[in-house]
Amino acid sequence: MLTYLVRRLILVLPVAFGVSVICFLLVQIAPGDPLTAIMPVDATAEEQAVMRAAYGLDKPLPVQYAIWIGNLLQGDMGKSIATGRPVASEVFGAVQNSLLLAVSAAIIAFPIGTALGFLAGYFRDTWADRAVTALSITGVSVPNYWLGIVLVIIFSVNLGWLPSMGAGPGGSQSWAWDWAHMRHLILPAVTLAVVPIGIVAHTVRALAGDILTMDFVQALYAKGMSRFDVLRHVARNAAATALSVMGLQLGYLLGGSILIEAVFNWPGSGFLLSNAIFQRDLPLLQGTILVLALFFVTMNLIVDVAQAAIDPRIQRT
């Protein structure tokens, strides 16, 4: 297991380097001048040159990348062009809010999706299977931003049960562990959980249905094992693949919530990223994309190690 872990850690290094290069180049080749957001329209050529030199935009791209990656290794992600604040403080504050939203949605989605998937897989080709399949297809097909708007209209506007904007009372952008703030988390978390519920349910249903038809399951029944014990063996055989899907979905929940955060004005990384795109804020764009991409890389590493711990056969591949 230790050898497998070391091998996976070594493989992460070139992936992280490639991610940093792609993040840097994608932002650089985007059209437009990032300084137009902060410079006056009548700025002279000399003033533009001074501003470019201040942000290092007058240097060749390889030099800019070397400076950027060198600063990153020292914990310096630069300063936002639009606000002048350190990029690290803005990005990590937003990522914490997005991680809170993503984990909350995962806590809702993964148990429900797993339970529905096992129900459909166990009662395959019955009304229960057809109902769960219809629900999972609907969950994946419905645009989550549209669902968010519908939930806001029903539970916030019409019924007045739940707030619809911000992370706290009065549209607050900060978070605290009290009911006043947790009420703001319910609608975006439920909205964000709908798609993963459908994906996890569909995946687990296919896994459970296939495993239940295998010869070893019939052998377990022939040995006199109870239904609960047999299902426990089925769950263990399905766990590695299901865990891989859940890990990818958690990454999606963190990085793919731009529209949900915009609908609910949630101060997360997606909301920050959309603002940085409109403001053409290069340092903030690069920092946000890099942190989200590295989260995916880290999440995949954790899932790989967890899969190997659950299924030792993976260590030999």
Side-chain angles (χ1 to χ4, degrees), residues 59-91:
K59 297 178 176 63
L61 282 182
V63 177
Q64 291 186 42
Y65 174 77
I67 295 173
W68 180 63
I69 203 70
N71 291 334
L72 276 178
L73 294 175
Q74 300 176 40
D76 180 12
M77 302 178 73
K79 290 187 177 181
S80 168
I81 293 177
T83 65
R85 292 193 291 267
V87 170
S89 62
E90 294 206 22
V91 170

mmCIF file of all heavy atoms in Angstrom, residues 59-91:
data_model
loop_
_atom_site.group_PDB
_atom_site.id
_atom_site.type_symbol
_atom_site.label_atom_id
_atom_site.label_comp_id
_atom_site.label_asym_id
_atom_site.label_seq_id
_atom_site.Cartn_x
_atom_site.Cartn_y
_atom_site.Cartn_z
ATOM 1 N N LYS A 59 6.711 41.639 -19.922
ATOM 2 C CA LYS A 59 7.732 40.601 -20.115
ATOM 3 C C LYS A 59 7.200 39.496 -21.008
ATOM 4 O O LYS A 59 5.978 39.310 -21.142
ATOM 5 C CB LYS A 59 8.161 40.029 -18.761
ATOM 6 C CG LYS A 59 8.813 41.047 -17.844
ATOM 7 C CD LYS A 59 9.157 40.415 -16.504
ATOM 8 C CE LYS A 59 9.908 41.409 -15.620
ATOM 9 N NZ LYS A 59 9.070 42.592 -15.295
ATOM 10 N N PRO A 60 8.089 38.723 -21.651
ATOM 11 C CA PRO A 60 7.642 37.572 -22.462
ATOM 12 C C PRO A 60 6.883 36.560 -21.607
ATOM 13 O O PRO A 60 7.090 36.462 -20.389
ATOM 14 C CB PRO A 60 8.955 36.973 -22.988
ATOM 15 C CG PRO A 60 9.958 38.069 -22.876
ATOM 16 C CD PRO A 60 9.545 38.902 -21.704
ATOM 17 N N LEU A 61 6.015 35.781 -22.263
ATOM 18 C CA LEU A 61 5.185 34.822 -21.535
ATOM 19 C C LEU A 61 5.989 33.816 -20.709
ATOM 20 O O LEU A 61 5.626 33.533 -19.563
ATOM 21 C CB LEU A 61 4.263 34.077 -22.505
ATOM 22 C CG LEU A 61 3.021 34.832 -22.995
ATOM 23 C CD1 LEU A 61 2.184 33.948 -23.904
ATOM 24 C CD2 LEU A 61 2.185 35.305 -21.816
ATOM 25 N N PRO A 62 7.080 33.233 -21.243
ATOM 26 C CA PRO A 62 7.845 32.295 -20.406
ATOM 27 C C PRO A 62 8.387 32.956 -19.138
ATOM 28 O O PRO A 62 8.399 32.318 -18.072
ATOM 29 C CB PRO A 62 8.990 31.841 -21.334
ATOM 30 C CG PRO A 62 8.460 32.048 -22.708
ATOM 31 C CD PRO A 62 7.602 33.261 -22.629
ATOM 32 N N VAL A 63 8.804 34.218 -19.246
ATOM 33 C CA VAL A 63 9.312 34.925 -18.069
ATOM 34 C C VAL A 63 8.169 35.191 -17.092
ATOM 35 O O VAL A 63 8.321 35.033 -15.867
ATOM 36 C CB VAL A 63 10.001 36.239 -18.484
ATOM 37 C CG1 VAL A 63 10.457 37.021 -17.251
ATOM 38 C CG2 VAL A 63 11.188 35.958 -19.399
ATOM 39 N N GLN A 64 7.008 35.598 -17.626
ATOM 40 C CA GLN A 64 5.842 35.816 -16.762
ATOM 41 C C GLN A 64 5.463 34.537 -16.020
ATOM 42 O O GLN A 64 5.158 34.568 -14.818
ATOM 43 C CB GLN A 64 4.651 36.302 -17.595
ATOM 44 C CG GLN A 64 4.783 37.703 -18.159
ATOM 45 C CD GLN A 64 3.505 38.149 -18.850
ATOM 46 O OE1 GLN A 64 2.399 37.921 -18.356
ATOM 47 N NE2 GLN A 64 3.640 38.794 -19.999
ATOM 48 N N TYR A 65 5.505 33.391 -16.738
ATOM 49 C CA TYR A 65 5.163 32.130 -16.086
ATOM 50 C C TYR A 65 6.167 31.778 -15.002
ATOM 51 O O TYR A 65 5.785 31.338 -13.907
ATOM 52 C CB TYR A 65 5.096 31.003 -17.123
ATOM 53 C CG TYR A 65 4.877 29.644 -16.491
ATOM 54 C CD1 TYR A 65 3.617 29.265 -16.044
ATOM 55 C CD2 TYR A 65 5.943 28.760 -16.314
ATOM 56 C CE1 TYR A 65 3.416 28.033 -15.438
ATOM 57 C CE2 TYR A 65 5.753 27.532 -15.713
ATOM 58 C CZ TYR A 65 4.487 27.173 -15.277
ATOM 59 O OH TYR A 65 4.305 25.965 -14.669
ATOM 60 N N ALA A 66 7.461 31.969 -15.306
ATOM 61 C CA ALA A 66 8.497 31.644 -14.322
ATOM 62 C C ALA A 66 8.328 32.496 -13.053
ATOM 63 O O ALA A 66 8.462 31.990 -11.933
ATOM 64 C CB ALA A 66 9.881 31.847 -14.932
ATOM 65 N N ILE A 67 8.039 33.777 -13.246
ATOM 66 C CA ILE A 67 7.827 34.657 -12.091
ATOM 67 C C ILE A 67 6.590 34.232 -11.319
ATOM 68 O O ILE A 67 6.588 34.162 -10.076
ATOM 69 C CB ILE A 67 7.707 36.125 -12.550
ATOM 70 C CG1 ILE A 67 9.036 36.598 -13.162
ATOM 71 C CG2 ILE A 67 7.299 37.021 -11.398
ATOM 72 C CD1 ILE A 67 8.955 37.972 -13.796
ATOM 73 N N TRP A 68 5.526 33.921 -12.052
ATOM 74 C CA TRP A 68 4.259 33.529 -11.417
ATOM 75 C C TRP A 68 4.413 32.244 -10.617
ATOM 76 O O TRP A 68 3.988 32.171 -9.465
ATOM 77 C CB TRP A 68 3.190 33.362 -12.500
ATOM 78 C CG TRP A 68 1.845 32.966 -11.995
ATOM 79 C CD1 TRP A 68 1.028 33.669 -11.165
ATOM 80 C CD2 TRP A 68 1.144 31.748 -12.296
ATOM 81 N NE1 TRP A 68 -0.137 32.979 -10.937
ATOM 82 C CE2 TRP A 68 -0.100 31.808 -11.617
ATOM 83 C CE3 TRP A 68 1.434 30.640 -13.085
ATOM 84 C CZ2 TRP A 68 -1.033 30.773 -11.707
ATOM 85 C CZ3 TRP A 68 0.502 29.617 -13.170
ATOM 86 C CH2 TRP A 68 -0.713 29.691 -12.484
ATOM 87 N N ILE A 69 5.054 31.214 -11.224
ATOM 88 C CA ILE A 69 5.201 29.938 -10.529
ATOM 89 C C ILE A 69 6.162 30.070 -9.356
ATOM 90 O O ILE A 69 5.996 29.432 -8.310
ATOM 91 C CB ILE A 69 5.642 28.827 -11.504
ATOM 92 C CG1 ILE A 69 5.257 27.443 -10.966
ATOM 93 C CG2 ILE A 69 7.122 28.885 -11.786
ATOM 94 C CD1 ILE A 69 3.796 27.156 -10.970
ATOM 95 N N GLY A 70 7.189 30.937 -9.512
ATOM 96 C CA GLY A 70 8.109 31.167 -8.401
ATOM 97 C C GLY A 70 7.414 31.824 -7.215
ATOM 98 O O GLY A 70 7.643 31.450 -6.058
ATOM 99 N N ASN A 71 6.561 32.802 -7.505
ATOM 100 C CA ASN A 71 5.800 33.440 -6.428
ATOM 101 C C ASN A 71 4.807 32.470 -5.781
ATOM 102 O O ASN A 71 4.589 32.500 -4.567
ATOM 103 C CB ASN A 71 5.051 34.662 -6.972
ATOM 104 C CG ASN A 71 5.989 35.795 -7.363
ATOM 105 O OD1 ASN A 71 7.096 35.901 -6.830
ATOM 106 N ND2 ASN A 71 5.558 36.643 -8.283
ATOM 107 N N LEU A 72 4.209 31.595 -6.628
ATOM 108 C CA LEU A 72 3.267 30.613 -6.090
ATOM 109 C C LEU A 72 3.947 29.687 -5.084
ATOM 110 O O LEU A 72 3.384 29.369 -4.037
ATOM 111 C CB LEU A 72 2.675 29.768 -7.225
ATOM 112 C CG LEU A 72 1.474 30.322 -7.980
ATOM 113 C CD1 LEU A 72 1.078 29.378 -9.091
ATOM 114 C CD2 LEU A 72 0.299 30.556 -7.045
ATOM 115 N N LEU A 73 5.166 29.258 -5.413
ATOM 116 C CA LEU A 73 5.883 28.357 -4.514
ATOM 117 C C LEU A 73 6.222 29.029 -3.190
ATOM 118 O O LEU A 73 6.484 28.349 -2.193
ATOM 119 C CB LEU A 73 7.164 27.855 -5.200
ATOM 120 C CG LEU A 73 6.935 26.961 -6.433
ATOM 121 C CD1 LEU A 73 8.254 26.622 -7.098
ATOM 122 C CD2 LEU A 73 6.181 25.689 -6.042
ATOM 123 N N GLN A 74 6.206 30.354 -3.174
ATOM 124 C CA GLN A 74 6.442 31.097 -1.933
ATOM 125 C C GLN A 74 5.136 31.506 -1.251
ATOM 126 O O GLN A 74 5.152 32.231 -0.253
ATOM 127 C CB GLN A 74 7.272 32.352 -2.231
ATOM 128 C CG GLN A 74 8.637 32.055 -2.847
ATOM 129 C CD GLN A 74 9.390 33.328 -3.217
ATOM 130 O OE1 GLN A 74 9.358 34.308 -2.474
ATOM 131 N NE2 GLN A 74 10.047 33.312 -4.364
ATOM 132 N N GLY A 75 4.003 31.059 -1.819
ATOM 133 C CA GLY A 75 2.706 31.378 -1.232
ATOM 134 C C GLY A 75 2.128 32.707 -1.669
ATOM 135 O O GLY A 75 1.145 33.169 -1.089
ATOM 136 N N ASP A 76 2.717 33.313 -2.694
ATOM 137 C CA ASP A 76 2.245 34.617 -3.178
ATOM 138 C C ASP A 76 1.543 34.418 -4.514
ATOM 139 O O ASP A 76 2.169 34.064 -5.511
ATOM 140 C CB ASP A 76 3.425 35.582 -3.325
ATOM 141 C CG ASP A 76 2.998 36.957 -3.822
ATOM 142 O OD1 ASP A 76 1.783 37.234 -3.830
ATOM 143 O OD2 ASP A 76 3.881 37.756 -4.215
ATOM 144 N N MET A 77 0.237 34.661 -4.549
ATOM 145 C CA MET A 77 -0.535 34.510 -5.784
ATOM 146 C C MET A 77 -0.763 35.844 -6.472
ATOM 147 O O MET A 77 -1.526 35.921 -7.431
ATOM 148 C CB MET A 77 -1.885 33.847 -5.478
ATOM 149 C CG MET A 77 -1.760 32.487 -4.826
ATOM 150 S SD MET A 77 -3.353 31.729 -4.401
ATOM 151 C CE MET A 77 -3.939 31.269 -6.021
ATOM 152 N N GLY A 78 -0.109 36.883 -5.995
ATOM 153 C CA GLY A 78 -0.235 38.195 -6.610
ATOM 154 C C GLY A 78 -1.382 38.996 -6.020
ATOM 155 O O GLY A 78 -2.003 38.605 -5.028
ATOM 156 N N LYS A 79 -1.666 40.124 -6.671
ATOM 157 C CA LYS A 79 -2.750 41.004 -6.240
ATOM 158 C C LYS A 79 -3.777 41.155 -7.353
ATOM 159 O O LYS A 79 -3.434 41.181 -8.532
ATOM 160 C CB LYS A 79 -2.204 42.376 -5.846
ATOM 161 C CG LYS A 79 -1.379 42.368 -4.566
ATOM 162 C CD LYS A 79 -1.008 43.777 -4.136
ATOM 163 C CE LYS A 79 -0.256 43.763 -2.811
ATOM 164 N NZ LYS A 79 0.093 45.125 -2.351
ATOM 165 N N SER A 80 -5.012 41.287 -6.941
ATOM 166 C CA SER A 80 -6.098 41.463 -7.899
ATOM 167 C C SER A 80 -5.946 42.802 -8.610
ATOM 168 O O SER A 80 -5.695 43.834 -7.982
ATOM 169 C CB SER A 80 -7.447 41.397 -7.181
ATOM 170 O OG SER A 80 -8.489 41.829 -8.024
ATOM 171 N N ILE A 81 -6.100 42.778 -9.932
ATOM 172 C CA ILE A 81 -6.021 44.015 -10.707
ATOM 173 C C ILE A 81 -7.215 44.915 -10.391
ATOM 174 O O ILE A 81 -7.088 46.139 -10.306
ATOM 175 C CB ILE A 81 -5.964 43.699 -12.213
ATOM 176 C CG1 ILE A 81 -4.638 42.999 -12.550
ATOM 177 C CG2 ILE A 81 -6.119 44.965 -13.051
ATOM 178 C CD1 ILE A 81 -4.516 42.592 -14.002
ATOM 179 N N ALA A 82 -8.377 44.313 -10.188
ATOM 180 C CA ALA A 82 -9.604 45.099 -9.983
ATOM 181 C C ALA A 82 -9.685 45.706 -8.591
ATOM 182 O O ALA A 82 -10.112 46.852 -8.429
ATOM 183 C CB ALA A 82 -10.827 44.232 -10.249
ATOM 184 N N THR A 83 -9.279 44.950 -7.562
ATOM 185 C CA THR A 83 -9.454 45.421 -6.182
ATOM 186 C C THR A 83 -8.156 45.786 -5.483
ATOM 187 O O THR A 83 -8.179 46.515 -4.491
ATOM 188 C CB THR A 83 -10.171 44.350 -5.344
ATOM 189 O OG1 THR A 83 -9.324 43.185 -5.242
ATOM 190 C CG2 THR A 83 -11.490 43.956 -5.989
ATOM 191 N N GLY A 84 -7.035 45.261 -5.972
ATOM 192 C CA GLY A 84 -5.753 45.518 -5.320
ATOM 193 C C GLY A 84 -5.511 44.666 -4.086
ATOM 194 O O GLY A 84 -4.462 44.785 -3.448
ATOM 195 N N ARG A 85 -6.452 43.778 -3.745
ATOM 196 C CA ARG A 85 -6.279 42.908 -2.576
ATOM 197 C C ARG A 85 -5.511 41.652 -2.965
ATOM 198 O O ARG A 85 -5.523 41.242 -4.138
ATOM 199 C CB ARG A 85 -7.640 42.540 -1.987
ATOM 200 C CG ARG A 85 -8.380 43.705 -1.350
ATOM 201 C CD ARG A 85 -9.559 43.217 -0.528
ATOM 202 N NE ARG A 85 -10.601 42.663 -1.360
ATOM 203 C CZ ARG A 85 -11.643 43.357 -1.816
ATOM 204 N NH1 ARG A 85 -11.760 44.646 -1.531
ATOM 205 N NH2 ARG A 85 -12.554 42.786 -2.572
ATOM 206 N N PRO A 86 -4.852 40.998 -2.004
ATOM 207 C CA PRO A 86 -4.129 39.755 -2.313
ATOM 208 C C PRO A 86 -5.059 38.695 -2.882
ATOM 209 O O PRO A 86 -6.154 38.470 -2.355
ATOM 210 C CB PRO A 86 -3.557 39.325 -0.950
ATOM 211 C CG PRO A 86 -3.483 40.588 -0.161
ATOM 212 C CD PRO A 86 -4.654 41.420 -0.608
ATOM 213 N N VAL A 87 -4.619 38.060 -3.959
ATOM 214 C CA VAL A 87 -5.430 37.034 -4.603
ATOM 215 C C VAL A 87 -5.662 35.849 -3.669
ATOM 216 O O VAL A 87 -6.756 35.287 -3.618
ATOM 217 C CB VAL A 87 -4.765 36.566 -5.914
ATOM 218 C CG1 VAL A 87 -5.458 35.326 -6.470
ATOM 219 C CG2 VAL A 87 -4.793 37.682 -6.947
ATOM 220 N N ALA A 88 -4.649 35.484 -2.903
ATOM 221 C CA ALA A 88 -4.758 34.311 -2.031
ATOM 222 C C ALA A 88 -5.902 34.454 -1.033
ATOM 223 O O ALA A 88 -6.684 33.519 -0.827
ATOM 224 C CB ALA A 88 -3.441 34.083 -1.291
ATOM 225 N N SER A 89 -6.022 35.623 -0.414
ATOM 226 C CA SER A 89 -7.081 35.819 0.576
ATOM 227 C C SER A 89 -8.460 35.760 -0.071
ATOM 228 O O SER A 89 -9.405 35.183 0.495
ATOM 229 C CB SER A 89 -6.890 37.149 1.304
ATOM 230 O OG SER A 89 -6.986 38.235 0.389
ATOM 231 N N GLU A 90 -8.598 36.338 -1.263
ATOM 232 C CA GLU A 90 -9.902 36.310 -1.941
ATOM 233 C C GLU A 90 -10.254 34.896 -2.403
ATOM 234 O O GLU A 90 -11.395 34.447 -2.248
ATOM 235 C CB GLU A 90 -9.890 37.263 -3.131
ATOM 236 C CG GLU A 90 -9.751 38.728 -2.737
ATOM 237 C CD GLU A 90 -10.356 39.649 -3.773
ATOM 238 O OE1 GLU A 90 -11.218 39.196 -4.542
ATOM 239 O OE2 GLU A 90 -9.973 40.830 -3.799
ATOM 240 N N VAL A 91 -9.254 34.191 -2.978
ATOM 241 C CA VAL A 91 -9.526 32.857 -3.519
ATOM 242 C C VAL A 91 -9.846 31.871 -2.405
ATOM 243 O O VAL A 91 -10.843 31.136 -2.477
ATOM 244 C CB VAL A 91 -8.317 32.367 -4.352
ATOM 245 C CG1 VAL A 91 -8.486 30.890 -4.703
ATOM 246 C CG2 VAL A 91 -8.189 33.183 -5.617
#
